[in-house]
Amino acid sequence: MKKNDRADMIVGSAFSLLGLGIFFYARSNYDMGELTNMGSGFFPAILGITMALLGLIVTISSIGIQAPKREFNTRTTFFVTLSIIAFALLIERLGALPAIFSLVLIASLAEKRFSWPKKFLLAAVLFCIAYLIFKVMLSMNFSLIHGVL
């Protein structure tokens, strides 16, 4: 008898259930509109369906697969969580530039193989992408450096 990857099966099922819950919540609480004139519930409903389908794919792909040995990486979890908290605390107080740099630099501490110049280059590129998308294309009003730009 083939073994199943229980972790992927549980996570895939949970993802599907969450996606279906989002879909039904959006359908019942928001106006769906039409494809040419979308309502406020259309996008969350599509995201819910997409989540449910992805969860179903993960669940089905876990059937008949021997589960690989998994280890919980506390270092990665710690630094990624810390970077998100730092970003949330810094974005309004110091602006986007320091918040994005802190996000990238703290999260990159989880991986030892990258050099500091590569980490700063990645932070600079991500800042430029965020600037182009949010400030230039979407014309969002946010400060790059609080009180300066």
Side-chain angles (χ1 to χ4, degrees):
M1 183 172 168
K2 290 184 178 179
K3 290 189 173 187
N4 298 328
D5 187 353
R6 284 185 44 184
D8 279 356
M9 193 172 283
I10 291 169
V11 170
S13 300
F15 209 68
S16 290
L17 290 174
L18 179 64
L20 288 174
I22 291 170
F23 171 74
F24 287 118
Y25 183 84
R27 287 275 307 191
S28 62
N29 292 321
Y30 298 112
D31 177 37
M32 292 296 290
E34 298 173 2
L35 193 56
T36 56
N37 188 19
M38 296 178 204
S40 59
F42 193 85
F43 188 69
I46 295 298
L47 283 180
I49 290 171
T50 304
M51 282 180 65
L53 290 175
L54 288 173
L56 186 63
I57 290 170
V58 170
T59 303
I60 290 171
S61 68
S62 69
I63 297 172
I65 301 289
Q66 180 71 28
K69 184 178 178 186
R70 294 186 176 107
E71 294 181 17
F72 184 73
N73 192 340
T74 55
R75 178 185 173 92
T76 302
T77 304
F78 174 75
F79 282 117
V80 170
T81 304
L82 184 65
S83 70
I84 294 169
I85 292 170
F87 180 84
L89 294 174
L90 294 175
I91 187 72
E92 288 186 15
R93 291 176 178 85
L94 299 179
L97 182 64
I100 291 173
F101 266 80
S102 69
L103 174 79
V104 172
L105 295 177
I106 294 171
S108 67
L109 292 173
E111 182 63 48
K112 296 179 183 179
R113 66 180 173 175
F114 295 117
S115 64
W116 282 101
K118 285 184 181 178
K119 293 175 184 180
F120 277 102
L121 178 64
L122 176 62
V125 168
L126 288 178
F127 173 75
C128 290
I129 291 170
Y131 176 78
L132 286 174
I133 291 172
F134 296 112
K135 195 83 167 173
V136 175
M137 293 178 180
L138 295 176
S139 300
M140 291 179 71
N141 188 18
F142 65 90
S143 68
L144 300 176
I145 299 175
H146 189 68
V148 178
L149 298 172

